[in-house]
Amino acid sequence: MRTVLYPGSFDPVTAGHLDIIRRAAARFEQVIVAVMHNPQKATGAFPVEERIELLKAATCGLDNVQIRAFDGLLVDAARACQVDGVIRGLRSTADTEIELQMARLNRQLGDVETVFMAATPAVMHISANMVREVGRLGGNLRGLVPEEIRPRVAEALRGKR
Ligand code: PNS
């Protein structure tokens, strides 16, 4: 596998996402980070354009990483980008069931192969959902989101419902 797609909601990008992006960038020739819609999740806290800007700021300096946004099915994004496969991070057994279901579905729908990367223990407790909650309640986001975007994320979330 040379070119991979890393899809997600990235609402916003977390320290856990960045860990996966960095490790993927070191292993694969090209990593396309795809901001996509998760129909299982409520409307996002950050507009898609802002998620892209935050991802670009967080991945600045990683020359083989591109950030793009896609509507629709993951298999269609994978086909449009002509990637060799998709990567997803796994934090816990709670993630596993749904991730396996998605991986099997994507293989059935579009012959898309998924490669799982185990989350680094230091960031495996972090989710975008928790970041939003801590940020909305004015908590410290240090270590939860990439440091370069922490002030912007904190400011955007503070006081948001
Ligand atoms: O960061 P998330 O919310 O866990 O990412 C989930 C995402 C966006 C990758 C998933 O919901 C997705 O693939 N959305 C696109 C729609 C799709 O292809 N659904 C069917 C396959 S699961």
Side-chain angles (χ1 to χ4, degrees), residues 48-130:
V48 168
E49 300 68 38
E50 197 168 2
R51 297 183 207 181
I52 292 173
E53 282 173 24
L54 291 169
L55 273 160
K56 283 188 175 165
T59 58
C60 176
L62 294 173
D63 294 339
N64 59 340
V65 174
Q66 285 177 49
I67 315 295
R68 297 177 62 176
F70 293 93
D71 282 329
L73 287 172
L74 175 53
V75 289
D76 291 332
R79 192 178 305 118
C81 295
Q82 297 185 304
V83 292
D84 301 311
V86 161
I87 55 167
R88 291 283 287 171
L90 274 186
R91 291 167 300 190
S92 63
T93 49
D95 281 348
T96 310
E97 203 163 331
I98 180 74
E99 291 296 336
L100 287 176
Q101 191 181 7
M102 279 172 43
R104 290 186 181 116
L105 192 60
N106 288 327
R107 206 149 70 86
Q108 178 175 350
L109 287 176
D111 193 27
V112 168
E113 218 39 275
T114 302
V115 172
F116 294 109
M117 295 179 69
T120 297
V123 292
M124 65 187 274
H125 57 293
I126 301 171
S127 67
N129 195 22
M130 287 300 171

Coordinates of all heavy atoms in Angstrom, one line a residue, residues 48-130:
V48 N -17.3 22.4 8.2 CA -16.3 21.6 7.5 C -15.0 22.5 7.1 O -13.9 22.0 7.2 CB -16.9 21.0 6.2 CG1 -15.9 20.4 5.3 CG2 -17.9 19.9 6.7
E49 N -15.3 23.7 6.6 CA -14.1 24.6 6.2 C -13.2 24.8 7.4 O -11.9 24.8 7.2 CB -14.6 25.9 5.7 CG -15.5 25.9 4.5 CD -16.9 25.4 4.8 OE1 -17.4 25.6 6.0 OE2 -17.5 24.6 4.0
E50 N -13.7 25.0 8.6 CA -12.9 25.2 9.7 C -12.1 23.9 10.1 O -11.0 23.9 10.5 CB -13.7 25.7 10.9 CG -12.8 26.4 11.9 CD -13.5 27.2 13.0 OE1 -14.8 27.2 12.9 OE2 -12.8 27.7 13.9
R51 N -12.8 22.8 10.0 CA -12.1 21.5 10.3 C -10.9 21.3 9.4 O -9.9 20.8 9.8 CB -13.1 20.3 10.1 CG -14.3 20.3 11.0 CD -15.1 19.1 10.8 NE -16.5 19.4 11.2 CZ -17.5 18.5 11.1 NH1 -17.3 17.3 10.7 NH2 -18.7 18.9 11.5
I52 N -11.1 21.7 8.1 CA -10.0 21.6 7.2 C -8.9 22.5 7.6 O -7.7 22.1 7.6 CB -10.5 21.9 5.7 CG1 -11.5 20.8 5.3 CG2 -9.4 22.1 4.7 CD1 -12.2 21.1 4.0
E53 N -9.2 23.8 7.9 CA -8.1 24.7 8.3 C -7.4 24.2 9.5 O -6.2 24.3 9.6 CB -8.8 26.1 8.7 CG -9.1 26.9 7.4 CD -9.9 28.1 7.8 OE1 -9.8 28.6 9.0 OE2 -10.7 28.6 7.0
L54 N -8.1 23.7 10.5 CA -7.5 23.2 11.7 C -6.6 22.0 11.4 O -5.4 21.9 11.9 CB -8.5 22.7 12.7 CG -9.3 23.9 13.4 CD1 -10.5 23.4 14.2 CD2 -8.4 24.8 14.2
L55 N -7.0 21.1 10.5 CA -6.2 20.0 10.1 C -5.0 20.4 9.3 O -3.9 19.9 9.5 CB -7.0 19.0 9.2 CG -7.9 18.0 9.9 CD1 -9.0 17.4 9.0 CD2 -7.0 16.8 10.4
K56 N -5.1 21.4 8.5 CA -4.0 21.9 7.7 C -2.9 22.5 8.7 O -1.7 22.3 8.6 CB -4.4 23.0 6.7 CG -5.0 22.4 5.5 CD -5.3 23.4 4.4 CE -5.8 22.6 3.1 NZ -6.4 23.5 2.2
A57 N -3.4 23.3 9.7 CA -2.5 23.9 10.6 C -1.8 22.8 11.5 O -0.6 22.9 11.7 CB -3.3 24.8 11.6
A58 N -2.5 21.8 11.8 CA -2.0 20.7 12.7 C -1.0 19.8 11.9 O -0.1 19.2 12.5 CB -3.1 19.8 13.2
T59 N -1.1 19.7 10.6 CA -0.3 18.8 9.8 C 0.8 19.6 9.0 O 1.4 19.0 8.1 CB -1.1 17.9 8.9 OG1 -1.9 18.8 8.0 CG2 -2.0 17.0 9.6
C60 N 0.9 20.9 9.2 CA 1.8 21.7 8.5 C 3.2 21.1 8.7 O 3.6 20.7 9.8 CB 1.8 23.1 9.1 SG 2.9 24.2 8.5
G61 N 4.0 20.9 7.6 CA 5.3 20.3 7.7 C 5.3 18.8 7.4 O 6.3 18.2 7.1
L62 N 4.1 18.2 7.3 CA 4.0 16.8 6.9 C 3.7 16.9 5.3 O 2.6 17.0 4.9 CB 2.9 16.1 7.6 CG 3.1 15.8 9.1 CD1 1.9 15.2 9.7 CD2 4.3 15.0 9.4
D63 N 4.8 16.8 4.5 CA 4.7 17.1 3.1 C 3.9 16.0 2.3 O 3.4 16.4 1.2 CB 6.1 17.2 2.5 CG 6.8 18.4 3.1 OD1 6.1 19.3 3.6 OD2 8.1 18.4 3.0
N64 N 3.8 14.8 2.8 CA 3.0 13.8 2.1 C 1.6 13.7 2.6 O 1.0 12.6 2.4 CB 3.8 12.5 2.1 CG 4.0 11.9 3.5 OD1 3.9 12.7 4.5 ND2 4.2 10.7 3.6
V65 N 1.1 14.7 3.3 CA -0.3 14.6 3.8 C -1.1 15.7 3.2 O -0.7 16.9 3.1 CB -0.3 14.9 5.4 CG1 -1.7 15.0 5.9 CG2 0.5 13.7 6.1
Q66 N -2.2 15.3 2.6 CA -3.2 16.3 2.0 C -4.5 16.2 2.8 O -4.9 15.2 3.3 CB -3.6 15.8 0.6 CG -2.7 15.9 -0.5 CD -3.4 15.3 -1.7 OE1 -4.5 15.6 -2.1 NE2 -2.7 14.4 -2.4
I67 N -5.1 17.4 2.9 CA -6.4 17.4 3.5 C -7.5 17.7 2.5 O -7.4 18.7 1.7 CB -6.5 18.6 4.6 CG1 -5.2 18.6 5.4 CG2 -7.7 18.5 5.4 CD1 -4.9 17.4 6.3
R68 N -8.6 16.9 2.5 CA -9.7 17.1 1.5 C -11.0 16.9 2.2 O -11.0 16.3 3.3 CB -9.5 16.2 0.3 CG -8.3 16.5 -0.5 CD -8.0 15.6 -1.6 NE -9.1 15.7 -2.6 CZ -9.1 15.0 -3.8 NH1 -8.1 14.2 -4.1 NH2 -10.1 15.1 -4.6
A69 N -12.1 17.3 1.6 CA -13.4 17.1 2.2 C -14.2 16.3 1.1 O -14.1 16.6 -0.1 CB -14.1 18.3 2.5
F70 N -15.1 15.4 1.6 CA -15.9 14.6 0.6 C -17.3 14.5 1.2 O -17.5 14.3 2.4 CB -15.3 13.2 0.4 CG -14.0 13.2 -0.3 CD1 -12.8 13.2 0.4 CD2 -14.0 13.2 -1.7 CE1 -11.6 13.2 -0.2 CE2 -12.8 13.2 -2.3 CZ -11.6 13.2 -1.6
D71 N -18.3 14.5 0.3 CA -19.7 14.2 0.7 C -19.9 12.8 0.3 O -19.2 12.3 -0.6 CB -20.7 15.1 -0.1 CG -20.8 16.5 0.5 OD1 -20.6 16.6 1.7 OD2 -21.0 17.4 -0.3
G72 N -20.9 12.1 0.8 CA -21.3 10.8 0.3 C -20.5 9.7 0.9 O -20.0 9.7 2.1
L73 N -20.4 8.6 0.2 CA -19.9 7.3 0.7 C -18.3 7.4 0.7 O -17.7 7.9 -0.2 CB -20.3 6.2 -0.2 CG -21.8 5.7 0.0 CD1 -22.1 4.7 -1.1 CD2 -22.1 5.2 1.4
L74 N -17.8 6.7 1.7 CA -16.4 6.5 1.8 C -15.8 5.8 0.6 O -14.7 6.2 0.1 CB -16.1 5.8 3.1 CG -14.7 5.4 3.4 CD1 -13.7 6.6 3.4 CD2 -14.6 4.8 4.8
V75 N -16.5 4.8 0.2 CA -16.0 4.0 -1.0 C -15.8 4.9 -2.2 O -14.9 4.7 -3.0 CB -16.8 2.7 -1.3 CG1 -16.6 1.7 -0.2 CG2 -18.3 3.1 -1.5
D76 N -16.7 5.9 -2.4 CA -16.7 6.8 -3.5 C -15.5 7.7 -3.4 O -14.8 8.0 -4.4 CB -18.0 7.6 -3.7 CG -19.1 6.7 -4.1 OD1 -18.9 5.6 -4.8 OD2 -20.3 7.0 -3.8
A77 N -15.2 8.2 -2.2 CA -14.0 9.0 -1.9 C -12.8 8.2 -2.2 O -11.8 8.7 -2.8 CB -14.1 9.6 -0.5
A78 N -12.8 7.0 -1.7 CA -11.6 6.1 -1.9 C -11.3 5.9 -3.4 O -10.2 6.0 -3.9 CB -11.8 4.8 -1.2
R79 N -12.4 5.7 -4.2 CA -12.3 5.5 -5.6 C -11.8 6.8 -6.3 O -10.9 6.7 -7.1 CB -13.6 5.0 -6.2 CG -13.5 4.5 -7.6 CD -14.8 4.0 -8.2 NE -15.4 3.0 -7.4 CZ -16.7 3.1 -6.9 NH1 -17.4 4.2 -7.1 NH2 -17.2 2.2 -6.2
A80 N -12.4 7.9 -5.9 CA -12.0 9.2 -6.5 C -10.6 9.5 -6.3 O -9.9 10.1 -7.2 CB -12.9 10.3 -6.0
C81 N -10.1 9.1 -5.2 CA -8.6 9.4 -4.8 C -7.7 8.3 -5.3 O -6.5 8.5 -5.2 CB -8.5 9.6 -3.3 SG -9.3 11.0 -2.7
Q82 N -8.3 7.2 -5.8 CA -7.4 6.1 -6.3 C -6.5 5.6 -5.2 O -5.3 5.4 -5.5 CB -6.7 6.5 -7.6 CG -7.7 6.8 -8.7 CD -6.9 7.0 -10.0 OE1 -6.1 7.9 -10.1 NE2 -7.3 6.2 -11.0
V83 N -7.0 5.5 -4.0 CA -6.1 5.1 -2.9 C -6.0 3.6 -2.9 O -6.8 2.9 -3.4 CB -6.6 5.6 -1.5 CG1 -6.4 7.1 -1.4 CG2 -8.0 5.1 -1.2
D84 N -4.9 3.1 -2.3 CA -4.7 1.6 -2.1 C -5.5 1.0 -0.9 O -5.7 -0.2 -0.9 CB -3.2 1.3 -2.0 CG -2.4 1.8 -3.1 OD1 -2.8 1.5 -4.3 OD2 -1.4 2.5 -2.9
G85 N -5.9 1.9 0.0 CA -6.6 1.4 1.2 C -7.0 2.6 2.1 O -6.6 3.8 1.8
V86 N -7.7 2.2 3.1 CA -8.2 3.2 4.1 C -7.5 2.9 5.4 O -7.3 1.7 5.8 CB -9.7 3.1 4.2 CG1 -10.3 3.7 5.5 CG2 -10.4 3.7 3.0
I87 N -7.2 3.9 6.2 CA -6.7 3.6 7.6 C -7.7 4.1 8.6 O -8.3 5.2 8.4 CB -5.3 4.1 7.8 CG1 -5.2 5.6 7.6 CG2 -4.2 3.4 7.1 CD1 -3.9 6.2 8.1
R88 N -7.8 3.4 9.7 CA -8.6 3.9 10.8 C -7.8 3.6 12.1 O -7.1 2.5 12.2 CB -9.9 3.1 10.9 CG -10.9 3.5 9.7 CD -11.6 4.8 9.9 NE -12.6 4.8 10.9 CZ -13.2 5.9 11.4 NH1 -12.9 7.1 10.9 NH2 -14.1 5.8 12.3
G89 N -7.9 4.4 13.1 CA -7.3 4.2 14.4 C -8.3 3.4 15.3 O -9.5 3.6 15.2
L90 N -7.7 2.5 16.1 CA -8.5 1.8 17.1 C -8.0 2.1 18.5 O -6.9 1.9 18.8 CB -8.3 0.3 16.8 CG -9.2 -0.5 15.8 CD1 -8.9 -1.9 15.9 CD2 -10.6 -0.2 16.0
R91 N -9.0 2.6 19.3 CA -8.6 3.0 20.6 C -8.9 1.9 21.6 O -8.2 1.7 22.6 CB -9.4 4.3 21.1 CG -9.0 5.5 20.4 CD -9.9 6.6 20.6 NE -11.2 6.3 20.1 CZ -12.3 7.1 20.0 NH1 -12.1 8.3 20.4 NH2 -13.4 6.7 19.5
S92 N -10.0 1.2 21.4 CA -10.4 0.2 22.5 C -11.3 -0.8 21.8 O -11.7 -0.7 20.7 CB -11.3 1.0 23.5 OG -12.4 1.5 22.8
T93 N -11.7 -1.8 22.7 CA -12.6 -2.8 22.1 C -14.0 -2.2 21.8 O -14.7 -2.7 20.9 CB -12.8 -4.0 23.2 OG1 -13.1 -3.4 24.4 CG2 -11.5 -4.9 23.2
A94 N -14.3 -1.1 22.5 CA -15.6 -0.5 22.2 C -15.6 0.0 20.7 O -16.6 0.1 20.1 CB -15.8 0.7 23.1
D95 N -14.5 0.5 20.2 CA -14.4 0.9 18.8 C -14.5 -0.3 17.8 O -14.9 -0.1 16.7 CB -13.0 1.5 18.5 CG -12.9 3.0 19.0 OD1 -13.9 3.5 19.4 OD2 -11.7 3.5 19.1
T96 N -14.0 -1.4 18.3 CA -13.7 -2.5 17.3 C -15.0 -3.0 16.6 O -14.9 -3.2 15.4 CB -13.1 -3.7 18.1 OG1 -12.0 -3.2 18.8 CG2 -12.5 -4.7 17.1
E97 N -16.1 -3.2 17.3 CA -17.2 -3.7 16.6 C -17.7 -2.9 15.5 O -17.9 -3.4 14.4 CB -18.3 -3.9 17.7 CG -19.3 -5.0 17.2 CD -20.2 -5.5 18.4 OE1 -19.7 -5.5 19.5 OE2 -21.3 -5.8 18.1
I98 N -17.9 -1.6 15.7 CA -18.4 -0.7 14.7 C -17.3 -0.5 13.6 O -17.7 -0.5 12.4 CB -18.8 0.7 15.2 CG1 -19.3 1.6 14.2 CG2 -17.7 1.4 16.0 CD1 -20.7 1.3 13.6
E99 N -16.1 -0.5 13.9 CA -15.0 -0.4 12.9 C -15.0 -1.6 12.0 O -14.8 -1.5 10.8 CB -13.7 -0.1 13.6 CG -13.5 1.2 14.3 CD -13.6 2.4 13.3 OE1 -13.4 2.2 12.1 OE2 -14.0 3.5 13.8
L100 N -15.1 -2.8 12.6 CA -15.1 -4.0 11.8 C -16.3 -4.0 10.8 O -16.2 -4.4 9.7 CB -15.1 -5.2 12.7 CG -13.8 -5.6 13.4 CD1 -14.0 -6.8 14.3 CD2 -12.7 -5.8 12.4
Q101 N -17.5 -3.5 11.4 CA -18.7 -3.5 10.5 C -18.4 -2.6 9.3 O -18.7 -2.9 8.2 CB -19.8 -3.0 11.4 CG -21.2 -3.1 10.8 CD -22.3 -2.6 11.7 OE1 -22.0 -2.0 12.7 NE2 -23.5 -2.8 11.3
M102 N -17.9 -1.4 9.6 CA -17.6 -0.4 8.5 C -16.6 -1.0 7.5 O -16.7 -0.8 6.3 CB -17.0 0.9 9.1 CG -18.1 1.8 9.7 SD -17.4 3.3 10.6 CE -16.1 3.8 9.6
A103 N -15.5 -1.6 8.1 CA -14.5 -2.2 7.2 C -15.1 -3.2 6.2 O -14.8 -3.3 5.0 CB -13.4 -2.7 8.0
R104 N -15.9 -4.1 6.8 CA -16.5 -5.2 6.0 C -17.5 -4.6 4.9 O -17.5 -5.0 3.8 CB -17.3 -6.2 6.9 CG -16.3 -7.0 7.7 CD -17.1 -8.1 8.5 NE -16.1 -8.8 9.3 CZ -16.1 -8.8 10.6 NH1 -17.0 -8.2 11.3 NH2 -15.2 -9.5 11.3
L105 N -18.3 -3.6 5.4 CA -19.2 -2.9 4.5 C -18.4 -2.3 3.3 O -18.8 -2.4 2.2 CB -20.0 -1.9 5.3 CG -21.2 -1.3 4.6 CD1 -22.2 -2.4 4.2 CD2 -21.9 -0.3 5.5
N106 N -17.4 -1.6 3.7 CA -16.6 -0.9 2.6 C -15.9 -1.8 1.6 O -15.8 -1.5 0.5 CB -15.6 0.1 3.2 CG -16.3 1.3 3.9 OD1 -17.3 1.7 3.4 ND2 -15.7 1.8 5.0
R107 N -15.6 -3.0 2.1 CA -15.0 -4.0 1.2 C -16.1 -4.6 0.3 O -15.9 -4.8 -0.9 CB -14.4 -5.2 2.0 CG -13.3 -5.8 1.3 CD -12.2 -6.4 2.2 NE -12.7 -7.5 2.9 CZ -12.6 -8.8 2.5 NH1 -12.2 -9.1 1.4 NH2 -13.1 -9.7 3.3
Q108 N -17.3 -4.8 0.9 CA -18.4 -5.3 0.1 C -18.8 -4.2 -1.0 O -19.1 -4.6 -2.1 CB -19.6 -5.7 1.0 CG -20.8 -6.2 0.2 CD -21.9 -6.6 1.1 OE1 -21.7 -6.8 2.3 NE2 -23.0 -6.9 0.6
L109 N -19.0 -3.0 -0.5 CA -19.5 -1.9 -1.4 C -18.5 -1.5 -2.5 O -18.9 -1.2 -3.6 CB -19.8 -0.7 -0.6 CG -21.0 -0.7 0.3 CD1 -21.1 0.6 1.1 CD2 -22.3 -0.9 -0.5
G110 N -17.2 -1.5 -2.1 CA -16.3 -0.9 -3.1 C -14.9 -1.6 -3.1 O -14.0 -1.0 -3.6
D111 N -14.8 -2.8 -2.6 CA -13.5 -3.5 -2.6 C -12.4 -2.7 -1.9 O -11.3 -2.6 -2.4 CB -13.1 -3.9 -4.0 CG -12.0 -4.9 -4.0 OD1 -11.8 -5.6 -3.0 OD2 -11.2 -4.9 -5.0
V112 N -12.8 -1.9 -0.9 CA -11.9 -1.0 -0.2 C -11.4 -1.8 1.0 O -12.1 -2.2 1.9 CB -12.6 0.3 0.2 CG1 -11.7 1.1 1.2 CG2 -12.9 1.1 -1.0
E113 N -10.1 -1.9 1.1 CA -9.4 -2.6 2.2 C -9.1 -1.6 3.4 O -8.7 -0.5 3.1 CB -8.1 -3.2 1.7 CG -7.6 -4.5 2.1 CD -8.6 -5.6 2.3 OE1 -9.2 -5.7 3.4 OE2 -8.8 -6.5 1.4
T114 N -9.4 -2.0 4.6 CA -9.1 -1.1 5.7 C -7.9 -1.6 6.6 O -7.9 -2.8 6.9 CB -10.3 -0.9 6.7 OG1 -11.4 -0.4 5.9 CG2 -10.1 0.0 7.8
V115 N -7.0 -0.8 6.9 CA -5.9 -1.1 7.8 C -6.1 -0.4 9.1 O -6.3 0.8 9.1 CB -4.5 -0.7 7.1 CG1 -3.4 -0.9 8.1 CG2 -4.3 -1.5 5.8
F116 N -6.0 -1.1 10.2 CA -6.2 -0.5 11.5 C -4.9 -0.2 12.2 O -4.0 -1.0 12.1 CB -7.0 -1.5 12.4 CG -8.4 -1.7 11.9 CD1 -8.9 -2.9 11.4 CD2 -9.3 -0.6 12.0 CE1 -10.2 -3.0 10.9 CE2 -10.6 -0.8 11.5 CZ -11.1 -2.0 11.0
M117 N -4.8 0.9 12.8 CA -3.6 1.3 13.5 C -4.0 1.5 15.0 O -5.0 2.2 15.3 CB -3.0 2.6 13.0 CG -2.5 2.5 11.6 SD -1.9 4.0 10.9 CE -0.4 4.2 11.9
A118 N -3.3 0.8 15.9 CA -3.6 0.8 17.3 C -3.2 2.2 17.9 O -2.1 2.7 17.6 CB -2.8 -0.2 18.0
A119 N -4.2 2.8 18.6 CA -3.9 4.1 19.2 C -2.7 4.0 20.2 O -2.6 3.0 20.9 CB -5.1 4.6 19.9
T120 N -1.9 5.0 20.2 CA -0.9 5.1 21.2 C -1.5 5.3 22.6 O -2.4 6.1 22.7 CB 0.0 6.4 20.9 OG1 0.6 6.1 19.6 CG2 1.1 6.6 21.9
P121 N -1.0 4.5 23.6 CA -1.7 4.5 24.9 C -1.9 6.0 25.5 O -2.9 6.3 26.1 CB -0.7 3.7 25.8 CG -0.2 2.7 24.8 CD 0.0 3.4 23.5
A122 N -0.9 6.8 25.3 CA -1.0 8.2 25.8 C -2.2 9.0 25.3 O -2.6 10.0 25.9 CB 0.3 9.0 25.6
V123 N -2.7 8.6 24.2 CA -3.8 9.4 23.6 C -5.1 8.6 23.4 O -6.1 9.1 22.8 CB -3.4 10.1 22.2 CG1 -2.4 11.2 22.5 CG2 -2.9 9.1 21.2
M124 N -5.1 7.3 23.8 CA -6.2 6.4 23.5 C -7.5 6.8 24.2 O -8.6 6.3 23.8 CB -5.9 5.0 23.7 CG -5.6 4.6 25.1 SD -5.0 2.8 25.1 CE -6.5 2.0 25.2
H125 N -7.4 7.6 25.2 CA -8.7 8.1 25.9 C -9.3 9.3 25.3 O -10.3 9.8 25.8 CB -8.3 8.4 27.4 CG -7.3 9.4 27.5 ND1 -6.0 9.3 27.1 CD2 -7.3 10.7 27.9 CE1 -5.3 10.4 27.2 NE2 -6.1 11.3 27.7
I126 N -8.7 9.8 24.3 CA -9.2 11.1 23.7 C -10.1 10.9 22.6 O -9.9 10.1 21.7 CB -8.0 11.9 23.2 CG1 -7.0 12.2 24.3 CG2 -8.4 13.3 22.6 CD1 -5.7 12.8 23.9
S127 N -11.2 11.6 22.6 CA -12.2 11.6 21.5 C -12.6 13.0 21.2 O -12.5 13.9 22.1 CB -13.5 10.8 21.9 OG -14.2 11.5 22.9
A128 N -13.0 13.3 20.0 CA -13.5 14.6 19.6 C -14.6 15.1 20.5 O -14.8 16.2 20.9 CB -13.8 14.7 18.1
N129 N -15.5 14.1 20.8 CA -16.6 14.3 21.6 C -16.2 14.9 23.0 O -16.8 15.9 23.5 CB -17.3 12.9 21.8 CG -18.7 13.0 22.3 OD1 -19.3 14.1 22.2 ND2 -19.2 12.0 22.9
M130 N -15.2 14.3 23.6 CA -14.7 14.7 24.9 C -14.0 16.1 24.8 O -14.1 16.9 25.7 CB -13.7 13.7 25.5 CG -14.3 12.4 26.0 SD -15.5 12.9 27.3 CE -16.3 11.3 27.6

